[in-house]
Amino acid sequence: MSPRVGRAADTTAAPGGSAESTLAFVESPVQLLNVLEWAHAADATGPTGGLTVVVLSPNDPMTRGQLRRMAQLARDEGVEVRWEEARGGASAPFHTVGGLAGALRRADRVVIGDPFSRYVQLLLTITRARSLVVVDDGTATMEFIAQLARGERLQRWHRKGGRPGPRDLVFAPVSASARRRLTPGGTRTVEVFSAMPIDSAPDGVRVTVNAFSWTRERFGPPRITRGSDLVGTSLVETGVVDPDRYIEAVIALSRAHGATRYFAHRRESAEKLHRLAVETGLQVVRPDLPLELIARRGPIGRTILSFPSTVVHTLPLALAGTEVKVAVCDIDPAWLTETASPRAQGFLSGVTGTARDVHRLTSVRHTAPA
């Protein structure tokens, strides 16, 4: 049985005898998984104490479903979970922020999963916490570290290069304030808990490695099948990759490696997934948990095929000690849309090039069926 994570009943004595409290904000299943990983790692050296996870629930049904499952896993580990319908109507943000203001001001430590989130940035302007922790939100963590080091405004990589819109300009003061909060100074400490390859960080930012030890202790080892599984990506939905090119690439990759299942990303559209199923013959699977947990529970293919994404970094860690091989196919520049960020190709190549313990599939990089 794995150690308990951040029990709500446990408290850590702070100076003056008061209990230390930790407030974590998540908006996706992976962020919640990584909060559990952070809490588990912190417990290895001392109690985390007083951890409350606040789920800022999105509207997307697939994301909500995975978050419900992850919230239950967190409760099973003794973590207090607070579910907020943060996007349930025009007045929801005001009710959510107002209801959290007191807890934010009392919290000694704040953990966030997405520093680019406007919701999170707004909450950061309220907190007085002297300890801030950023847990992985996928490959975006690498871009966050780079932007923080350069003193740039926080902006997602696939939007980089575009002109700020009216909403960006209105929100700019809040974003700037959040960036200052996420910069160490005085008695304020900043930690980044990440499975990503972060070779250097801004002065004062402490980087802690996420080895997915909670996942490996809690689940598996998995039953391994002889075939291959393919992992989907939302690069089409974010406007980076052309949908026709993506379908062609999936067909080529699955035929070359004998893939039978396609694990859909939670943001992939139903229309695209239907087309994939019809044109590729793959069994489309919509996971009810983050792929790291799905793979660790099994059954899973002996080879997992992926395009550049977070999983090329996280799956080798979650599946350490098994015989599963992770292989990644680069994004051909010809697949990019005309509106893709100028930085897209370089960023995606960096995701692939920095991945450890993965096999690079250069043979299908420039191929597509006739």
Side-chain angles (χ1 to χ4, degrees):
M1 180 179 295
S2 61
R4 305 293 282 178
V5 182
R7 296 183 181 89
D10 292 341
T11 57
T12 300
S18 60
E20 183 178 81
S21 63
T22 300
L23 209 55
F25 294 96
V26 300
E27 297 172 275
S28 78
V30 168
Q31 292 172 25
L32 182 43
L33 169 59
N34 287 320
V35 168
L36 293 179
E37 291 288 354
W38 168 80
H40 179 72
D43 274 350
T45 56
T48 54
L51 172 61
T52 299
V53 173
V54 179
V55 178
L56 302 172
S57 179
N59 292 324
D60 173 63
M62 285 300 300
T63 304
R64 287 172 65 90
Q66 287 193 12
L67 272 169
R68 292 284 188 193
R69 291 292 309 278
M70 284 303 307
Q72 187 55 54
L73 287 179
R75 293 187 181 101
D76 291 344
E77 297 295 325
V79 175
E80 181 180 346
V81 179
R82 177 171 169 174
W83 186 279
E84 293 284 342
E85 292 294 349
R87 295 168 175 85
S91 62
F94 299 100
H95 290 302
T96 299
V97 173
L100 291 170
L104 269 167
R105 293 190 179 99
R106 291 190 300 270
D108 301 289
R109 181 192 290 115
V110 168
V111 182
I112 64 172
D114 182 6
F116 296 105
S117 165
R118 286 178 173 174
Y119 226 128
V120 168
Q121 290 178 6
L122 180 59
L123 293 171
L124 284 177
T125 64
I126 301 173
T127 183
R128 301 171 181 171
R130 291 298 183 181
S131 176
L132 296 175
V133 180
V134 179
V135 301
D136 263 336
D137 185 33
T139 51
T141 305
M142 297 190 297
E143 187 69 358
F144 162 68
I145 287 289
Q147 290 180 19
L148 194 65
R150 295 191 295 263
E152 298 176 351
R153 67 188 180 101
L154 301 179
Q155 185 180 23
R156 301 185 194 280
W157 68 268
H158 54 81
R159 295 183 58 198
K160 195 79 170 177
R163 296 182 62 182
R167 293 180 63 187
D168 297 317
L169 296 176
V170 170
F171 202 79
V174 173
S175 182
S177 176
R179 188 180 66 245
R180 289 192 295 271
R181 291 274 184 178
L182 289 165
T183 302
T187 59
R188 184 174 59 255
T189 64
V190 177
E191 174 188 356
V192 175
F193 180 76
S194 177
M196 299 297 109
I198 300 174
D199 296 325
S200 60
D203 290 342
V205 174
R206 181 163 63 95
V207 177
T208 307
V209 175
N210 177 7
F212 280 86
S213 57
W214 178 80
T215 295
R216 284 185 281 109
E217 290 185 21
R218 182 68 171 79
F219 299 97
R223 179 171 67 85
I224 301 172
T225 66
R226 293 184 178 182
S228 299
D229 291 322
L230 202 154
V231 178
T233 174
S234 60
L235 289 173
V236 170
E237 284 71 16
T238 53
V240 176
V241 171
D242 177 82
D244 292 332
R245 295 287 192 168
Y246 183 78
I247 299 292
E248 292 170 353
V250 170
I251 292 173
L253 196 60
S254 60
R255 287 178 179 174
H257 297 274
T260 57
R261 293 188 299 177
Y262 179 96
F263 285 98
H265 188 281
R266 59 187 173 81
R267 289 188 183 141
E268 289 188 84
S269 69
E271 294 78 13
K272 187 183 81 175
L273 293 177
H274 175 73
R275 183 182 171 190
L276 271 170
V278 171
E279 297 188 28
T280 68
L282 291 167
Q283 176 191 356
V284 175
V285 179
R286 303 208 75 166
D288 60 354
L289 286 169
L291 191 60
E292 293 81 5
L293 301 185
I294 295 292
R296 187 69 195 178
R297 292 193 313 176
I300 195 70
R302 190 168 298 276
T303 300
I304 299 178
L305 308 163
S306 176
F307 297 101
S309 73
T310 303
V311 298
V312 303
H313 295 277
T314 59
L315 282 179
L317 295 171
L319 293 168
T322 72
E323 298 177 0
V324 178
K325 178 178 70 174
V326 179
V328 58
C329 175
D330 283 319
I331 297 295
D332 190 312
W335 302 350
L336 301 180
T337 64
E338 293 181 356
T339 57
S341 164
R343 293 196 61 250
Q345 184 61 37
F347 182 83
L348 292 170
S349 295
V351 170
T352 302
T354 55
R356 307 179 182 94
D357 301 321
V358 299
H359 178 61
R360 234 173 146 164
L361 301 175
T362 55
S363 61
V364 297
R365 184 175 181 181
H366 299 286
T367 63

